Amino acid sequence: SQYEGLEIEGSSMAEALARHYDTIGTISLGKKELDTAQTMYQKAKELREVGSKVELLAHSDGNLACVAALTGDWLKASVVFGRGVHLWTRLGDARMMSIGQLNQVECFIELFEKSGGSDKQDYKVSAHTTLSAVKAHMDHYGISEFDQNYEGLVGRLKVKST
């Protein structure tokens, strides 16, 4: 198959090119060149869709969600982090699922803080629900490395809820 005029032979070549785009995206992210990072991460995801490796698609979603969050598009970030959580769940990767859920809670808190509409309380409920789910998940799988992140989000939500 072809991608942007290049002949791609097999999924290993597509993944090598996707890693290249990820690297450029990460460098661009570090330079605060968010549009370039977004473009590079999107190209990586498109290449990964050819090979259909779920873990690599989840990785791409995480990168794209990060860019959305950094640009202040918290709704898009929450949706894309949620898509990643779904993929990590399918793969049975408890650690990555926890990371995705914690990131998604961060998005819900940001949306709660910034919303002035009728959806404000929905974001608060989503944050609480997801926090409860991730805590149960972390406890069940013995994941303690994110306890500080979890507690920080709980504290932040308590402050914002009052």
Side-chain angles (χ1 to χ4, degrees), residues 1-9 13 17 20-21 47:
S1 67
Q2 283 209 338
Y3 184 78
E4 292 193 359
L6 295 172
E7 187 64 35
I8 304 296
E9 297 177 20
M13 188 172 183
L17 187 54
H20 168 74
Y21 283 131
L47 283 160

Side-chain angles (χ1 to χ4, degrees), residues 106-162:
E106 175 79 22
C107 295
F108 291 142
I109 292 171
E110 289 290 336
L111 287 163
F112 171 70
E113 290 174 351
K114 290 168 179 35
S115 177
S118 60
D119 52 1
K120 184 175 184 81
Q121 290 307 310
D122 292 340
Y123 296 131
K124 179 180 172 183
V125 169
S126 293
H128 278 292
T129 303
T130 306
L131 269 175
S132 295
V134 74
K135 180 61 173 159
H137 174 84
M138 287 168 46
D139 289 347
H140 177 76
Y141 289 101
I143 300 169
S144 59
E145 67 184 293
F146 307 124
D147 285 349
Q148 188 174 359
N149 304 76
Y150 169 82
E151 292 300 331
L153 290 169
V154 168
R156 189 167 166 215
L157 191 57
K158 282 181 183 175
V159 168
K160 299 300 174 187
S161 295
T162 56

Side-chain angles (χ1 to χ4, degrees), residues 41-66:
Y41 288 148
Q42 187 59 47
K43 286 181 178 192
K45 181 173 182 177
E46 289 167 6
L47 283 160
R48 288 182 170 130
E49 288 170 339
V50 172
S52 299
K53 289 187 176 180
V54 176
E55 69 275 10
L56 298 175
L57 288 171
H59 177 75
S60 286
D61 277 342
N63 288 340
L64 290 166
C66 179

Side-chain angles (χ1 to χ4, degrees), residues 24-79:
I24 294 171
T26 301
I27 291 167
S28 299
L29 202 61
K31 295 166 124 182
K32 306 289 189 236
E33 297 170 357
L34 301 180
D35 288 340
T36 302
Q38 168 74 26
T39 300
M40 294 299 106
Y41 288 148
Q42 187 59 47
K43 286 181 178 192
K45 181 173 182 177
E46 289 167 6
L47 283 160
R48 288 182 170 130
E49 288 170 339
V50 172
S52 299
K53 289 187 176 180
V54 176
E55 69 275 10
L56 298 175
L57 288 171
H59 177 75
S60 286
D61 277 342
N63 288 340
L64 290 166
C66 179
V67 173
L70 290 171
T71 60
D73 191 344
W74 295 103
L75 183 57
K76 180 179 180 181
S78 73
V79 169

